[in-house]
């Protein structure tokens, strides 16, 4: 067999080998892509199972606060509503037709919970917070994924002052299961069992009402290292030495600097509008370059 004949025989073999390799590589890429898609779909499915509706106490007319929460963390909730004394154009609003005052805070919370009770088939958990609170919604879902929405419970940061058993900070935000919402509204509000009169300390009234209808208040929301998740002040307050238990108010004494706050922290209160954007930038946008990390100087 001469060289030209050998080339003729080898050419189809080479083509076949190359074709097989191409099919194999494309198949591997497809499998990898499909695996990634399935993994992403699985994660998305898991996340959707923790459906959170966010309700914000909002002072009518404070557009800077409203815009800041809408353009940062609020869009990550599954649904939301402002609670105010008048409608906010372009946003779902639960209207409490009263003059704006701290004395109607408890009335606003009642309106929130009544609305939440109509949404129990659509959402599992209901977060009450303020329009100057910043929430890391993904961490809230992570925390709630370890609990059942059929349990009569609400979670937050516990203050151990003022009333027996303490109460959960409204500014840091508290999150109620759909079962807790139903019990409070139908057994507490509708029957007259709970005090519905105006009161500026909504947290007291809610704690008392929850206790009467068998809803458990849970302020033990620290992580396994004793660091907090729901914070009644901004990061600078909790990072500063001397504020570990907020002058004896907090149930749990936290550390300071990096020991105050969990890496799965959920909320910070008293956040100005510009600080909302700054937090969103640091949490979701800023990324250190891994290619230029000095391995010898990465102590944490």
């Amino acid at each position: 067999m001469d060289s030209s004949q050998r080339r003729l025989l080898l050419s189809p073999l080479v083509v076949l080998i190359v074709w097989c390799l191409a099919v194999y590589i494309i198949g591997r890429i497809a499998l990898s892509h499909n695996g990634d898609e399935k993994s992403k779909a699985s994660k998305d499915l898991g996340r959707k199972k923790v459906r959170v509706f966010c309700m914000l106490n909002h002072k009518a007319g404070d557009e800077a606060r409203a815009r800041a929460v809408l353009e940062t963390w609020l869009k990550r909730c599954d649904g939301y509503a402002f609670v105010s004394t008048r409608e906010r154009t372009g946003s779902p609003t639960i209207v409490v037709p009263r003059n704006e005052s701290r004395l109607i805070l408890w009335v606003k919370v009642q309106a929130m919970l009544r609305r939440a009770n109509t949404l129990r088939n659509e959402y599992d958990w209901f977060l009450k917070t303020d329009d100057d609170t910043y929430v890391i919604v993904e961490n809230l879902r992570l925390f709630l994924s370890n609990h059942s929405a059929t349990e009569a419970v609400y979670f937050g940061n516990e203050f151990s002052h003022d009333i027996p058993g303490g109460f959960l900070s409204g500014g840091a935000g508290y999150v109620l299961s759909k079962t807790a919402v139903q019990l409070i509204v139908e057994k507490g509000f509708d029957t007259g069992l709970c005090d519905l009169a105006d009161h500026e300390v909504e947290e007291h009234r809610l704690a008392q009402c929850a206790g009467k209808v068998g809803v458990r208040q849970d302020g033990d929301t620290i992580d396994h290292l004793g660091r907090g998740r729901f914070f009644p002040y901004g990061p600078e307050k909790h990072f500063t030495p001397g504020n570990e238990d907020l002058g004896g108010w907090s149930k749990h004494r936290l550390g300071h600097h990096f020991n105050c706050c969990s890496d799965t922290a959920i909320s910070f209160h008293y956040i100005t509008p510009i600080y909302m954007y700054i937090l969103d930038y640091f949490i979701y946008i800023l990324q250190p370059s891994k290619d230029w990390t000095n391995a010898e100087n990465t102590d944490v």
Side-chain angles (χ1 to χ4, degrees):
M1 183 181 295
D2 59 25
S3 59
S4 61
Q5 288 175 316
R6 282 198 298 270
R7 279 197 300 271
L8 286 173
L9 287 174
L10 286 173
S11 294
L13 180 61
V14 170
V15 171
L16 179 62
I17 291 171
V18 170
W19 184 82
C20 289
L21 283 172
V23 171
Y24 174 78
I25 292 168
I26 292 169
R28 293 291 294 176
I29 293 171
L31 284 172
S32 175
H33 176 72
N34 289 339
D36 290 342
E37 288 297 311
K38 287 179 181 178
S39 176
K40 183 178 182 297
S42 177
K43 289 178 181 177
D44 288 345
L45 181 62
R47 183 160 60 246
K48 288 174 184 174
K49 288 181 180 177
V50 183
R51 301 169 300 174
V52 180
F53 188 82
C54 299
M55 305 174 291
L56 284 77
N57 171 38
H58 173 60
K59 184 177 180 180
D62 196 332
E63 281 304 296
R65 285 189 181 183
R67 282 195 303 272
V69 294
L70 281 167
E71 292 174 359
T72 58
W73 68 267
L74 191 56
K75 60 192 176 187
R76 300 180 185 111
C77 299
D78 297 292
Y80 73 88
F82 289 100
V83 185
S84 187
T85 54
R86 65 174 185 264
E87 192 85 22
R88 184 185 183 277
T89 304
S91 297
T93 312
I94 301 167
V95 178
V96 177
R98 300 277 300 275
N99 292 326
E100 198 71 62
S101 164
R102 287 193 58 81
L103 286 174
I104 66 166
L105 285 176
W106 175 225
V107 176
K108 282 185 172 181
V109 170
Q110 292 173 48
M112 292 182 196
L113 297 181
R114 288 190 183 280
R115 174 64 62 82
N117 197 43
T118 69
L119 300 172
R120 286 184 292 104
N121 291 330
E122 300 174 46
Y123 303 97
D124 306 303
W125 298 90
F126 297 88
L127 175 70
K128 179 274 162 188
T129 190
D130 293 340
D131 59 5
D132 63 345
T133 304
Y134 184 90
V135 180
I136 301 93
V137 179
E138 296 88 345
N139 287 351
L140 175 61
R141 286 197 183 97
L142 173 65
F143 174 80
L144 294 173
S145 69
N146 294 310
H147 301 278
S148 171
T150 61
E151 185 181 358
V153 65
Y154 71 116
F155 299 101
N157 177 81
E158 186 170 321
F159 283 147
S160 55
H161 254 251
D162 282 1
I163 63 173
F167 60 95
L168 302 188
S169 166
Y174 44 77
V175 59
L176 305 97
S177 70
K178 60 184 180 181
T179 302
V181 166
Q182 182 179 19
L183 287 171
I184 289 170
V185 172
E186 296 179 9
K187 283 191 161 185
F189 295 172
D190 293 347
T191 64
L193 181 62
C194 294
D195 189 343
L196 305 183
D198 290 359
H199 201 280
E200 63 178 320
V201 188
E202 33 125 339
E203 302 98 328
H204 288 188
R205 286 285 192 264
L206 181 61
Q208 292 163 350
C209 184
K212 289 179 179 179
V213 299
V215 171
R216 180 170 61 88
Q217 170 186 291
D218 193 335
D220 293 323
T221 53
I222 58 174
D223 69 12
H224 67 288
L225 296 176
R227 302 172 302 181
R229 286 192 173 97
F230 292 85
F231 293 96
Y233 291 93
E236 66 279 8
K237 178 92 169 180
H238 295 285
F239 268 67
T240 303
N243 295 321
E244 289 81 2
D245 65 353
L246 300 176
W249 276 78
S250 287
K251 176 180 179 180
H252 296 287
R253 183 178 178 84
L254 307 176
H256 55 260
H257 297 160
F258 294 119
N259 294 318
C260 72
C261 310
S262 175
D263 54 6
T264 55
I266 292 169
S267 66
F268 293 95
H269 189 211
Y270 294 124
I271 305 300
T272 62
I274 191 62
Y275 204 175
M276 291 270 181
Y277 296 104
I278 292 169
L279 284 174
D280 225 54
Y281 168 75
F282 277 115
I283 294 171
Y284 295 97
I285 299 174
L286 178 65
Q287 294 187 17
S289 173
K290 295 179 181 178
D291 293 337
W292 289 92
T293 299
N294 186 341
E296 295 179 359
N297 295 296
T298 54
D299 293 337
V300 177

